Amino acid sequence: MLDLSPARLEELGVAALALDFDGVLAPHGAGRPLPVVEDWLQRMVGLYGADRLFILSNRPEASRLAWFSEKLPGVRVVTGVRKKPYCDGLLIVGELAAVPLASILMVDDRLLTGCLAAVRAGSQPYYVRAPFIDLRQKTRSELFFMLLRWGERLLVGLLP
Ligand SMILES: [Mg+2]
C-alpha cells in the first residue's frame, strides 16, 4: 500500500481514497496506524485534501476515531453502515467526497470484504497482498486472518 505513489494514483484516475484499517494501516486490532503509515497518510492528505480520505473499516472503534480526529482532522472514519462486502460505506464515501464511485480506490487486504465491496460499488479495488501483521502479540488472530486471506485467494484463483 505504501508503494501507491501519486503518479500511480493519477494513472488510476483516483479522486478519493477509502482505506481499510486492520492489516492495511496497522496489524490487526491496533488502535492507531503505524508511524510509517502515518507519514504516508500525511502525504495523501497533502495530495487529495483530508476531505477525500476515508477510513472504511468493519471495526471503526472509538480509539481509532479518536486518533484520526486528533492527528488527521478532516479524515473521516465511516461508521453506522453495513459491513463490507456491502457497498453502503463506499456509497457514503462517494456522496461525502462528491466524486464518481469509479474514482474511489478501496484499499483492503481482504478480497471478499473490501475488494468485493469495491467491485459491487463500481469503485476500484486495491488488494494489499502483504498486509501488516503482528504474529508475536496477536498470534491467534493473525494466524486466523492469514488462513482467511489464503482461503480467499484460493477461492478466486489468485494463488500462489
Ligand atoms: Mg483488513
Side-chain angles (χ1 to χ4, degrees):
M1 189 268 299
L2 298 172
D3 58 351
L4 268 175
S5 65
R8 179 72 183 129
L9 290 164
E10 193 184 338
E11 207 174 87
L12 294 170
V14 174
L17 289 171
L19 307 169
D20 177 41
F21 193 101
D22 294 282
V24 171
L25 304 184
H28 205 84
R32 50 156 294 170
L34 290 170
V36 65
V37 175
E38 190 179 339
D39 293 344
W40 181 84
L41 286 167
Q42 294 284 5
R43 287 203 298 282
M44 291 301 112
V45 167
L47 188 65
Y48 288 107
D51 59 340
R52 296 274 170 92
L53 242 68
F54 297 84
I55 308 304
L56 184 51
S57 165
N58 280 349
R59 298 177 61 191
E61 294 167 359
S63 61
R64 298 172 175 184
L65 287 158
W67 189 90
F68 278 97
S69 69
E70 188 197 330
K71 300 282 186 180
L72 290 169
V75 172
R76 283 165 283 188
V77 181
V78 177
T79 59
V81 292
R82 287 187 296 176
K83 293 177 188 291
K84 300 169 285 185
Y86 286 106
C87 53
D88 307 29
L90 282 164
L91 302 182
I92 298 275
V93 167
E95 273 175 34
L96 292 173
V99 298
L101 287 167
S103 71
I104 300 170
L105 188 70
M106 175 76 236
V107 180
D108 211 298
D109 63 328
R110 294 284 312 280
L111 289 170
L112 296 184
T113 59
C115 292
L116 181 55
V119 170
R120 295 177 74 184
S123 298
Q124 302 184 54
Y126 184 89
Y127 180 47
V128 176
R129 183 121 189 196
F132 293 112
I133 57 173
D134 184 354
L135 269 174
R136 194 180 296 181
Q137 290 194 44
K138 302 265 183 176
T139 312
R140 288 179 74 166
S141 63
E142 292 289 19
L143 285 173
F144 172 74
F145 282 102
M146 285 168 77
L147 187 66
L148 208 55
R149 292 182 191 109
W150 179 83
E152 287 178 336
R153 287 199 290 272
L154 182 70
L155 198 64
V156 304
L158 263 186
L159 284 179

